[in-house]
Amino acid sequence: MSEQTILDMCCGSRMFWFDKQDTRAVFSDIRAEEHTLCDGRHLVISPDLLADFRALPFADNTFPVVVFDPPHLERVGEDAWMGKKYGRLNKDTWRDDLRAGFSEAFRVLWPHGVLIFKWNETQIPVSQVLALTDVKPIIGQRTGKNDKTHWIIFVKD
C-alpha cells in the first residue's frame, strides 16, 4: 500500500475519482450507506473513515493535498435521489458548517499544501461560500450544465 497523501474529506460515492480505490487517498465521509436510485443504479457511500468534516481526526499539517466537495443542497426532499447522492446541508447551520470545514481543511494541510474545492451553485452562489474563508483561491474553473459547478484551488500560506 502506498503512502496516503490525499484526504477526500467528503468522499460520498467517489464520483469524480478515476480510481475509486486509489491507495494514495484517505476517503472520509460522515455517512456510510447504500441506495438503489430511481433509475436502478446502485449508489454506495463507503468511506475508509467515518468522520465529520467539521472535526477531522488528523493532526495539523498531515496532508499535502485535501479535496473538499461538501453537500451543496439545502432544499432537497428526505427521499430524493439528489440528497442521497450528494448529501444535504442543514438550512440553519450551513454557513457555520462550511466555515468549519474550510478551517479543518487548512488545518490538516501541509504549509503550501493544495486544497481542491468543488461547489455546485444550483441553490447557493459560490460567492457566498467563498466568503466563509479568509484564504483566497488561486485558480477556478466553471464546468457542468450551465457552468454551475466550480472547481477552485487554494494553496495554504
Side-chain angles (χ1 to χ4, degrees):
M1 185 163 150
S2 65
E3 184 179 345
Q4 293 177 306
T5 58
I6 304 164
L7 171 63
D8 185 340
M9 49 195 281
C10 298
C11 68
S13 63
R14 310 176 192 191
M15 284 182 283
F16 53 75
W17 283 83
F18 286 111
D19 178 356
K20 295 181 185 333
Q21 305 303 320
D22 195 315
T23 59
R24 295 169 294 181
V26 176
F27 294 100
S28 175
D29 206 291
I30 199 168
R31 59 196 180 122
E33 52 195 46
E34 296 186 25
H35 302 280
T36 300
L37 301 178
C38 57
D39 62 3
R41 288 180 294 158
H42 198 60
L43 176 70
V44 177
I45 298 163
S46 180
D48 299 328
L49 175 71
L50 281 173
D52 186 331
F53 68 70
R54 298 169 296 184
L56 295 169
F58 301 105
D60 296 357
N61 307 314
T62 300
F63 297 96
V65 178
V66 172
V67 177
F68 188 24
D69 177 17
H72 60 273
L73 300 171
E74 64 174 339
R75 296 177 311 278
V76 62
E78 276 303 311
D79 291 322
W81 74 269
M82 290 286 285
K84 291 174 181 174
K85 189 172 181 180
Y86 296 109
R88 62 180 43 82
L89 293 169
N90 181 305
K91 67 181 182 67
D92 298 319
T93 64
W94 69 264
R95 285 178 181 82
D96 291 335
D97 296 340
L98 293 178
R99 188 178 290 112
F102 276 118
S103 179
E104 282 293 275
F106 290 116
R107 181 185 66 77
V108 302
L109 264 177
W110 286 358
H112 311 293
V114 172
L115 171 63
I116 301 167
F117 179 72
K118 180 177 165 264
W119 186 257
N120 181 288
E121 64 179 357
T122 299
Q123 293 182 1
I124 300 168
V126 73
S127 60
Q128 289 184 30
V129 175
L130 293 179
L132 302 173
T133 180
D134 292 333
V135 181
K136 299 301 175 213
I138 60 167
I139 295 171
Q141 178 67 43
R142 299 175 91 158
T143 64
K145 186 185 271 187
N146 301 318
D147 282 344
K148 290 197 178 282
T149 299
H150 296 258
W151 290 85
I152 300 168
I153 307 292
F154 297 84
V155 174
K156 179 179 175 178
D157 291 332

